[in-house]
Structures are given as C-alpha cells and as structure tokens.
Amino acid sequence: MGADVINNSWGDEADEACGYTPPSSQEEDAVRYATTRGVVVIFAAGNENCSIANLSPQNMPEVLTVAAIDHLGQKASFSNYGSVVDVAAPGGGDSAPPSDDPEYSVLSLLAAGSILATDPLYSNLKVGTQYVRLAGTSTSAPYVAGVAALVLGHDPQLTQTDVRSRIIAEAIPFPVTPSVPIGSGIAIALRPRPVASIVSYQKFPANRYVYPQEEWELSFRLLFRNFSAPFYATLSIDRPDIQIIQS
C-alpha cells in the first residue's frame, strides 16, 4: 500500500548569510516519485530566518512547505519564509513561557533512549518523564502532516494536489499580517462541513405503485449538520416524468 502522507524535516540548509548549496537532483527526483504516486509530501521550511526561494526540496511546487509560528500566531523568529511557503503551524517562539529557554514551547513526547532523554544538556527541557519541550519548523511540519491525514481520512478519494489545496485554502488568517510571507495562514484541522441527510421518508399512497398523472405525497425528515443560520433548502428532481407541485 505505501504511505499516503510523508513528513520531512530535512533538506539543504542556509548558512549564516542565507546562502545555499546547489539542490540535489536525487532528492528532488525522490519527491517527484512520491507525489506522482499520490503521496502528500510535507516539508519543514527550516530554522535559519532566511528566504527559501532557492532552498530545495522546500521550494518545489509539489510539496507542502510549513513555516513556524509562536504562541501569539506570529512568525517564530527562527522560521524560514518566502513565497514558496504554503502554511504555518505552531513551532515555538522567543517569548512564550516558561522563562527557562522560552522558545522551546511545543510539548512533545520524549522518546526513551533518545539524546533528548539521555543527554544532561537537555534536562531543563524535560517535563516529567514522558514529555519534552521543543521548537522549530520540525515541530510545525508534523502538525500539518496530521491535518493532511485527517483530510484524507475524511475523503480518501482526494488527490495529493486536492489535499494540499484544501489545507492552504482552509488555513485561518494570521492575527497580525507577517512582515515576510509565511503562507496563506495557520493550518487547522478539518472545519465542520455542512451535511444534509435523509433521516426518514414516507410516501402516500404507501402500499402501491403510483399511476401516471396521479398525484402523490412524499414527506421527508431531514437532518442538517454544521449549517449556519439562516439557510435555504430547495427540493429538485432530475426525472422529467415527475413534477414537483410544492416543495
């Protein structure tokens, strides 16, 4: 079967002057191989506070690239940016609590045996024995990967392009317009979609066929979910031999 969503926190990095190494054709071919097979490929934008216009694979049109925002919904100071960034998601920031290393404000599970669990250098980031505080676009990208999985779970027939487009389109606006581009908005999980379903119906006359030119009554009990009031519903039929007298 293979994967439907692949989260990535790797790729070329910018140096201190925001310079870049040439892109790897092998890496780009691997990304294209996945996307042409319907996989949603998500990339962390990176943490150098640089434009990623020339940073590959993050700048590839096939991928969904994610920047980081802080707890105020503003660009995290370290997050890369650029017109090729698609959306932003929580990634920590410089002013969030607690006072000790405040930028590490995303709570994550602590993997037993990992360097974060064993190296005393990171002891101040541990929260109890099972959690650790993190920061970076590497915490933002998996958030969006989870959103992509929810979208596909809700509608498995969507293509990877559909999923990417929906996440970008349904992102909520930033509280304050960023000074540099970091995507269409803040990625969110599925918005409730309006759904109308027939709960029950009854036909009169109930126990025989309806003859030509005969009037008959059909009553519905409908259930509407996630509609904003007021709304209007219209009953229509695609059968030219049946006429709706009143709806």
Side-chain angles (χ1 to χ4, degrees):
M1 293 290 293
D4 294 316
V5 180
I6 299 178
N7 176 64
N8 300 271
S9 295
W10 57 270
D12 293 336
E13 293 184 358
D15 59 27
E16 293 181 357
C18 290
Y20 306 95
T21 56
S24 164
S25 59
Q26 290 87 352
E27 292 175 356
E28 292 184 344
D29 286 345
V31 170
R32 293 189 184 97
Y33 178 88
T35 56
T36 56
R37 282 156 179 78
V39 178
V40 182
V41 178
I42 295 168
F43 266 90
N47 306 316
E48 293 80 37
N49 190 29
C50 293
S51 168
I52 60 170
N54 299 313
L55 189 65
S56 178
Q58 288 90 332
N59 65 353
M60 294 180 64
E62 294 90 346
V63 307
L64 186 62
T65 302
V66 186
I69 54 169
D70 64 14
H71 66 296
L72 299 175
Q74 300 173 355
K75 174 187 171 297
S77 63
F78 51 78
S79 179
N80 286 348
Y81 55 87
S83 60
V84 296
V85 174
D86 295 299
V87 290
D94 294 336
S95 57
S99 58
D100 188 17
D101 289 318
E103 68 272 18
Y104 294 93
S105 57
V106 177
L107 194 64
S108 177
L109 289 172
L110 179 60
S114 67
I115 188 172
L116 292 172
T118 58
D119 193 327
L121 180 65
Y122 302 106
S123 60
N124 61 319
L125 300 180
K126 294 180 183 178
V127 180
T129 59
Q130 298 181 337
Y131 299 95
V132 63
R133 292 186 291 116
L134 298 175
T137 56
S138 291
T139 67
S140 308
Y143 178 98
V144 178
V147 173
L150 286 173
V151 172
L152 278 173
H154 186 265
D155 191 348
Q157 303 304 315
L158 294 177
T159 67
Q160 64 89 12
T161 301
D162 294 334
V163 174
R164 181 177 178 274
S165 298
R166 180 171 294 183
I167 292 174
I168 293 171
E170 295 194 352
I172 61 175
F174 296 106
V176 179
T177 302
S179 60
V180 291
I182 53 172
S184 64
I186 302 170
I188 60 169
L190 291 175
R191 290 184 178 180
R193 295 184 174 277
V195 176
S197 56
I198 298 176
V199 178
S200 62
Y201 70 93
Q202 190 169 7
K203 179 173 71 72
F204 300 97
N207 299 318
R208 64 176 178 82
Y209 291 107
V210 177
Y211 295 101
Q213 309 302 319
E214 182 182 16
E215 293 186 7
W216 52 284
E217 181 180 334
L218 184 63
S219 62
F220 294 91
R221 183 168 177 263
L222 302 177
L223 178 62
F224 296 92
R225 298 186 181 94
N226 305 322
F227 280 80
S228 298
F231 67 91
Y232 301 92
T234 301
L235 179 64
S236 61
I237 192 167
D238 59 2
R239 289 279 301 272
D241 56 331
I242 299 178
Q243 180 183 4
I244 297 175
I245 298 175
Q246 183 178 359
S247 65

